Amino acid sequence: MISEVMQNAINAQISREMYSSNLYLSMAAYFQNINLNGFANWMRVQAQEEMSHALKFFDYLLMRNGTPRIGSIDAPTNSWENTLACFEAAYKHEQYITKNINELADLAIKNGDHASLILLQWFVNEQVEEEATSNEIVDRLRLAGDSKSGLFILDNELKQRKFVDATQEAK
Ligand SMILES: [Fe+2]
Ligand SMILES: [Fe+2]
């Protein structure tokens, strides 16, 4: 059975993953409203991905005979200065989540909880990807600068993204 301290820390992370999902859904609405449908699609898929992260922790707690507790989740912001500012906020948010995942891994080590550590290593890898992908889009938006065609090329590319439930794959 999972320890109380580890269970509480994972439950807090479930709320953060759900907040992430809501944040990206809010960003999807922002982009859809300004007709950047590719960016909106990317954010919508990102929201699904965050919910799958919440569920991965949720299922893990149940498997360890623990209890997932759904806490209150803050409302996310719903407007941004522009496309770049929105993606900068997404990148910054992922850096914050990485910090939380690292702290959870530290806690698992401190408690000798090997099973939780293995789960968290999946998330450590996931965060490397999450930071890299959001940062790449930030870089490309900076590169595009004021170019409308640059923005539309990127929008078209992001339209292609489809949700794949990576939580079901080994890493
Ligand atoms: Fe996540
Ligand atoms: Fe994420």
Side-chain angles (χ1 to χ4, degrees), residues 143-160:
L143 216 57
D146 292 330
S147 156
K148 286 268 180 278
S149 56
L151 188 68
F152 286 124
I153 289 168
L154 191 52
D155 187 62
N156 239 344
E157 202 180 300
L158 300 184
K159 211 169 277 174
Q160 311 305 317

Side-chain angles (χ1 to χ4, degrees), residues 80-140:
W80 291 269
E81 192 79 21
N82 51 40
T83 305
L84 176 61
C86 186
F87 266 88
E88 280 172 340
Y91 176 49
K92 204 171 151 219
H93 180 68
E94 287 303 332
Q95 289 176 305
Y96 162 72
I97 294 294
T98 299
K99 185 177 151 274
N100 290 309
I101 295 290
N102 287 338
E103 284 168 6
L104 277 164
D106 288 343
L107 189 68
I109 290 166
K110 199 178 132 220
N111 285 277
D113 185 341
H114 295 257
S116 293
L117 186 60
I118 288 170
L119 173 84
L120 287 160
Q121 277 163 354
W122 185 93
F123 280 97
V124 168
N125 279 325
E126 177 64 20
Q127 283 312 117
V128 171
E129 276 177 36
E130 292 275 76
E131 283 196 31
T133 39
S134 51
N135 191 34
E136 190 195 324
I137 297 171
V138 166
D139 284 346
R140 290 184 62 186

